[in-house]
Every structure is written in structure tokens, then in C-alpha cells.
Amino acid sequence: MATQAPLKVPVLDYEKEMNRWKEVYKIISGPEPTIDHSPRQMVWRKNKSVLWHYPAAEKKYKIPLFFVYSLFNKPYILDISPETSVIGGLTNRGYDVYLLDWGQPGYEDNDIGLDTYVTEYLERAVKRALRHSGAEEISMVGYCLGGTIASIFTSITELPIKNLIVATVPIDFSTSVAPGKWTEGMKDGMVNIDRLADVYGTIPAEYIFMMFRSLAPFYISPYVSLLTRAHDSRFVDKWRRMNMWLNDATPFAGEAFKQFFNELSKENKLVNGGLVVAGRNVDLKNITCSFYAISSANDNLVLEPQSLPVMDLVGSEDKTYQVVQAGHVSLALTGLFAPIVDEWLSSRSEKLEGAMA
Amino acid sequence: MAKDKYDPYQSFRQMSELWEQQMNTLFQTATNNSEFVNFAKAGLESHAKYMEQLRKNQELMASVMNIPTKSDLKNIARLTIQAEEKIDALEEQIWNLQDSFKAINQENMGLFSELVKVTKQMKTELARNAKELGETKKMKAELEALRSDLAAANDLRAEIRELRTELAEANAVQAEVQELRQELAQFMMKADKEQEEKDLVLAGAAGK
């Protein structure tokens, strides 16, 4: 007579559960995580902007890197933890890195437009980085909207730019992740933000946060993810840093917001032409240095069709385009960006004699 | 084994992700129309208008109460930014000056090195000239010695010429002596012939 196996009832792993809820309690009751930056020193400060220098652990390349981050977020995503820092990854690979932190504009910065940011902040900062490093040329790296600004800057500047790298960059605004009717309303002039920008002077950080959140207002999966893996303290630490950064939006100077909204987003002047910055006509054909564009396959903020047209717009002969399996934030958050940049840049950064491979 | 233990969170996670995605799609579908855009436009405009009025009233109240407003602070902050910009401009001017000095210094260094080079060259040339001068002096002395030798040679030449003249004269005398010798020989031969004839005549006469 065959005997039937007793039904196996899965049991809870109590130890794991205890760890999970301990971590959850810590997150709820504990302070915000602290961000430990890679070793750095301030080179220049203007208004709220700061130019940081991250020296190479062991310098291997003559050409330093200059990071330009988005105006919408804070740049510490590029140096969020010692293990996954993009900047730390590059300094460890032998690059001198400079980062321009735009800072948080205040009410008095309402008249800072894109042209002021490009000529009075970025151009001056690049000049200082060149002088500080003693290098004859510099490589620009732009992330997200920072890539758009770096492209505009490279197309109009007289400064010696050796390489330009842009990642998850919005260039063509004819498509976007926003619903079609919203985009249509904006392009038709039905939705006009000029009056709001004028009255606020500087768009508050909360509004910027809401603007991005409105694209996907139901936001629970990250919290469920946290709960699912709360027993893993390394994951919790990483999650907390990311969550802090995601909720840490930055205000946006009114004039720059109007220009971004009207000239880039509405009139798509980077593709259609006609964008004038500080009296200089912006034509991406003027970018003739080595050019590298990176898109994230799972980007839910900047779609690939927004980045891809840049390849036809730039005048560079040496140009490369790559799609990586990452998201808009995870490309920087996981530190994946550093080896990708290094692979392309190492042969274009003039290796120092005697530097170890 | 942990693998056999029940993890209720996995299915919860999958469900919530699905639900989140569906809710966001539903929101986008519900708002992706002209009515929503019109509503947003109206909301945006009325909010901006309200804020404008509020700011206006704030400014008015603050001026009545004689207290500074955000606009006053903005003006002060801008003065600081202007000062910073001036310092930046000055810093860049200093860079230009530094670069000019550096360029001038480099030029001067080039000039100095050229000067040193020329001086060294001149020194070498001077030493060579001094050496050449010594040699010239030596040559001059040798030349003078040669000249005196030449004068002596000229004297010798004159003497030789004289000797040659004398020799020529001696040759002429020798020729004359030769001629006389020939004439004497001829005369002697003639005298011998005449003696022979005379002897023959005498012998002939004695024979008769």
C-alpha cells in the first residue's frame, strides 16, 4: 500500500523577519544617511555654485574630466557611496575629475538663464579647471540635462575641449515621456509657465519634484522593494541613499526654467536651430571633438529617441553611440558609468609616460 | 534550509509592481485629454495670479510697516554676486598679467640665453683671434726674415750676374784664345809645310 507524503507547509524564516523589521524600524526612526564624498577640494566658488576637484588616486592621464550635472537634481548621485561612486571609480582609474555643482538657486537668482549658466558659470569654471590642472585640453562629461548644457557649451566655446561625453541626454524634445495631450498643450502655447516662473522667481524644489512625480504619481514599488529586501543591510543602505537623492530636488532659476521650457522643450531649438546663447548661435555641428553618447535602455525619463538624433547633429568625425542596460538613475547610482566612460576615454586622454596600465 | 522557507514578500512585490504600473497607466489615460490640459492651464493661471496679488500685498504691507522683504534681500544678495563677479574678472585680469609676465620672462630668458651664447661665441672668437694675431706676428717676423733673405738673394743674384758677365767676358777671351790657338795651329801647320818644302828643295838640290 503506497503511503502519501505529508503536505509540506512552508515556514517563515524568523531570523530574517526579525532583521527585516529591525531595519524598517531603523529607517523610520533613524536620521537621514550621510553621504561620504570621495576626497575632494574646492577650486572656485561663485554665488551658490562650487567647482570641486577630485584628484586621481594615481594620475595616469593628462586630460582631466569635467562633469556637468543636471539643473534639476543634485550632483551627489555621481559620488553617492564609496563602493559605487562614479567619480571615485574614475579617480581610481587615474583621471583627475572636476565637478561643477550648480548649487541651489535662491530668490535672487531669478534672472539666471541658460546663457548665464553657460557663459558666466560653466565657461568660467572650465577655465579655472584648465588653469588648476595645468592641462592644455579637457574632456567634458554631461549627465542628463547636464549633457544638454555641456553640448550647448562645447558648440559655442573657444576653450580647448578634447572629448565630449553625454549620457541619458535630452536633445530632441519632439518626443517625451509626458502624455501626448500635455505635450501638445505645451507646444500650442495653451500651457504657459512664464507667469508662474516670474511670480516665483525661482521655481521651488517641491514644484520640480511634483513635476517629475506627475509623470508617474503612483510610487510604491521602491518601498515594496525595500520591504522585500529589508533584511539585507547593504541593500537598505543603498536604497536609503537613492531615496534621499530622489526626494532631494533642487529649485530651478526662473529665467533658465522659462528658456528650458520655451526654447528647448516647446520650440525644440537644439534640433530645429535658432537657439542663441549669450549672442552666440548654438549649432551642434560646431562640436568637432571626439564625441560619445550613452543611452539607457530602461530609461523612463529620457527616451532613446530624445538622445539618438544628437549623433546626426554633431559635427564630430570620431563619434560613438552606445545603449547600456540600465535606468536613468541606476547608470550613475550603481557606478556602472565609470567603467563605460573609462573604456572609451582611456585611449583619448593622453596616457602619461610611465603610467601603469 | 532558507530555500524551503516561505517568503510572502515576493508575490506581494510582484502584485504591487503590477498594480503601480496599472494605476500610472490609468492616470495617464485619464489625464491625456484636452479637458485636463485646460483644467491644468486654468489652475496654473489662477495660482500665478493669486501669487502675484499676494506678493504685491506683501510688498505693500512691508513698506507700510517699514520692514525688508524678500525683494530687498534679493537686491542685497545681487550686490554680493556682483562683487564676486568683479573679483572673478580681476582674477582673470591677474591671470592675463601672469601670462604676459611669463611670456616676457620666457622671451627674456631666450634673449639672455642668446646673449650668453653670443658672448661665449665672442670669447671663443677672441681667443681664436688672439691666437691668429700671434701667428700673424710670427708670420710677419718670418716674412721679414724672408725679406732680408730675399735682399741677400738679390745681392747674390747681382753678384751672380756680375760673375755671369765676367764669365761671358772670360768666354769671349777663351774664344779669342781659341781663335788664336787655331790661327797658331794653322800657322804652325803652314810653317811645317813650308819647312818640309824647303827641306825637299834642299834635298833635291843636294841630290843633283
Side-chain angles (χ1 to χ4, degrees):
Chain A
M1 205 174 116
T3 52
Q4 206 174 358
L7 184 70
K8 251 189 169 179
V9 179
V11 287
L12 271 175
D13 184 343
Y14 289 109
E15 198 185 327
K16 192 173 162 185
E17 287 309 307
M18 284 301 286
N19 283 340
R20 186 194 312 278
W21 291 102
K22 260 187 208 167
E23 289 290 342
V24 170
Y25 176 73
K26 263 196 229 168
I27 294 165
I28 296 166
S29 59
E32 286 278 291
T34 50
I35 305 293
D36 300 321
H37 295 289
S38 301
R40 63 179 185 174
Q41 61 181 55
M42 193 184 78
V43 175
W44 176 66
R45 180 188 281 274
K46 180 180 178 179
N47 197 359
K48 284 96 184 168
S49 301
V50 183
L51 175 65
W52 294 104
H53 173 225
Y54 297 81
E58 191 191 330
K59 195 171 174 178
K60 288 182 190 166
Y61 303 98
K62 266 188 198 172
I63 312 288
L65 290 182
F66 191 105
F67 268 89
V68 187
Y69 199 68
S70 171
L71 289 165
F72 284 113
N73 300 98
K74 291 181 183 163
Y76 65 82
I77 184 79
L78 297 170
D79 190 25
I80 202 155
S81 73
E83 302 86 39
T84 58
S85 165
V86 171
I87 290 175
L90 288 165
T91 53
N92 287 336
R93 282 173 172 83
Y95 297 92
D96 259 344
V97 177
Y98 290 87
L99 166 73
L100 179 62
D101 181 351
W102 299 109
Q104 297 193 64
Y107 188 63
E108 63 279 8
D109 301 317
N110 64 330
D111 61 346
I112 298 183
L114 280 179
D115 37 4
T116 314
Y117 272 129
V118 170
T119 57
E120 294 300 315
Y121 287 79
L122 183 55
E123 195 161 37
R124 283 181 191 271
V126 174
K127 265 187 205 173
R128 273 150 184 86
L130 276 166
R131 197 150 186 109
H132 183 265
S133 64
E136 286 174 6
E137 291 172 297
I138 199 162
S139 298
M140 300 294 295
V141 186
Y143 200 98
C144 187
L145 186 64
T148 316
I149 296 171
S151 303
I152 292 172
F153 164 71
T154 310
S155 72
I156 60 166
T157 189
E158 301 279 319
L159 295 175
I161 309 299
K162 170 91 174 159
N163 304 295
L164 172 63
I165 300 170
V166 290
T168 64
V169 61
I171 293 286
D172 185 356
F173 290 86
S174 59
T175 54
S176 81
V177 287
K181 287 285 175 189
W182 296 16
T183 319
E184 221 174 83
M186 185 187 75
K187 289 196 193 301
D188 292 349
M190 193 182 273
V191 180
N192 193 333
I193 50 84
D194 287 10
R195 203 170 171 185
L196 190 78
D198 286 338
V199 71
Y200 274 100
T202 295
I203 308 293
E206 292 75 19
Y207 284 22
I208 299 295
F209 179 77
M210 273 161 52
M211 189 177 86
F212 285 108
R213 188 48 58 84
S214 68
L215 297 169
F218 293 91
Y219 185 75
I220 56 156
S221 59
Y223 296 101
V224 176
S225 274
L226 172 71
L227 192 65
T228 312
R229 292 180 63 184
H231 56 278
D232 180 356
S233 58
R234 280 185 66 188
F235 174 82
V236 172
D237 183 55
K238 210 167 133 184
W239 185 92
R240 290 186 72 198
R241 285 166 195 272
M242 188 194 76
N243 192 54
M244 184 177 125
W245 179 81
L246 282 173
N247 292 308
D248 198 7
T250 179
F252 208 110
E255 185 59 31
F257 192 75
K258 283 197 283 185
Q259 272 179 303
F260 169 75
F261 199 83
N262 294 327
E263 297 194 44
L264 295 183
S265 199
K266 185 175 158 188
E267 294 171 42
N268 201 14
K269 281 188 175 176
L270 267 179
V271 174
N272 299 332
L275 182 66
V276 177
V277 168
R280 289 176 268 183
N281 188 41
V282 177
D283 185 356
L284 299 184
K285 275 273 175 286
N286 295 334
I287 299 173
T288 51
C289 61
S290 295
F291 181 79
Y292 185 34
I294 302 161
S295 278
S296 297
N298 308 320
D299 200 328
N300 52 9
L301 199 60
V302 178
L303 304 172
E304 201 193 338
Q306 285 187 279
S307 302
L308 191 57
V310 74
M311 297 308 289
D312 294 327
L313 292 171
V314 295
S316 310
E317 282 180 17
D318 174 22
K319 51 185 174 183
T320 315
Y321 182 79
Q322 193 184 351
V323 180
V324 292
Q325 288 301 320
H328 187 80
V329 180
S330 69
L331 181 62
L333 183 76
T334 55
L336 176 68
F337 191 50
I340 292 172
V341 166
D342 176 53
E343 198 184 335
W344 183 84
L345 201 61
S346 57
S347 58
R348 293 168 174 86
S349 292
E350 293 184 21
K351 203 163 195 172
L352 287 168
E353 279 174 31
M356 299 282 283
Chain B
M1 275 170 74
K3 236 181 177 179
D4 299 331
K5 296 203 172 153
Y6 174 56
D7 187 359
Y9 297 97
Q10 285 304 329
S11 49
F12 175 56
R13 184 182 171 181
Q14 283 166 1
M15 285 288 288
S16 63
E17 275 174 9
L18 209 66
W19 181 80
E20 182 193 89
Q21 204 178 355
Q22 282 175 348
M23 288 304 284
N24 280 327
T25 311
L26 180 71
F27 173 77
Q28 290 213 348
T29 316
T31 58
N32 192 13
N33 52 60
S34 306
E35 289 76 22
F36 179 80
V37 176
N38 276 327
F39 174 72
K41 179 197 169 196
L44 211 64
E45 278 178 1
S46 62
H47 178 68
K49 203 174 174 182
Y50 166 74
M51 286 303 294
E52 268 176 10
Q53 201 57 47
L54 188 70
R55 289 274 153 89
K56 223 175 184 175
N57 293 338
Q58 276 177 339
E59 289 289 327
L60 188 70
M61 283 301 290
S63 71
V64 170
M65 293 165 77
N66 202 20
I67 52 170
T69 62
K70 221 173 171 182
S71 301
D72 297 316
L73 292 176
K74 177 175 90 174
N75 294 335
I76 294 165
R78 276 197 182 159
L79 290 176
T80 319
I81 297 163
Q82 274 175 23
E84 263 187 337
E85 277 170 0
K86 280 173 191 162
I87 291 168
D88 281 346
L90 276 173
E91 190 185 31
E92 283 177 22
Q93 292 280 358
I94 292 168
W95 287 355
N96 291 340
L97 283 172
Q98 277 179 337
D99 290 346
S100 305
F101 283 140
K102 207 174 165 183
I104 290 167
N105 274 345
Q106 272 177 348
E107 269 178 34
N108 284 346
M109 285 305 285
L111 199 69
F112 286 147
S113 64
E114 191 74 17
L115 271 173
V116 169
K117 200 176 157 188
V118 168
T119 314
K120 273 184 184 170
Q121 206 175 342
M122 278 173 74
K123 202 178 162 186
T124 319
E125 276 179 18
L126 194 67
R128 202 166 60 200
N129 284 345
K131 200 178 163 188
E132 278 176 5
L133 190 67
E135 279 173 10
T136 313
K137 273 181 184 168
K138 205 172 153 188
M139 275 171 74
K140 195 181 168 188
E142 280 175 8
L143 203 65
E144 270 170 14
L146 274 173
R147 196 176 286 166
S148 64
D149 285 353
L150 191 65
N154 279 344
D155 287 350
L156 198 68
R157 199 175 157 196
E159 277 175 22
I160 288 169
R161 199 175 288 157
E162 273 174 26
L163 278 173
R164 200 175 281 167
T165 322
E166 279 172 16
L167 189 66
E169 281 172 5
N171 283 342
V173 171
Q174 201 181 5
E176 276 175 22
V177 169
Q178 195 96 21
E179 274 175 24
L180 280 172
R181 204 177 275 168
Q182 278 176 354
E183 278 175 16
L184 187 65
Q186 280 173 0
F187 179 73
M188 287 291 283
M189 277 173 71
K190 201 175 173 182
D192 286 344
K193 217 174 183 180
E194 277 174 2
Q195 191 66 43
E196 273 177 23
E197 278 175 4
K198 207 182 267 182
D199 287 341
L200 282 172
V201 169
L202 282 174
K208 271 175 194 187

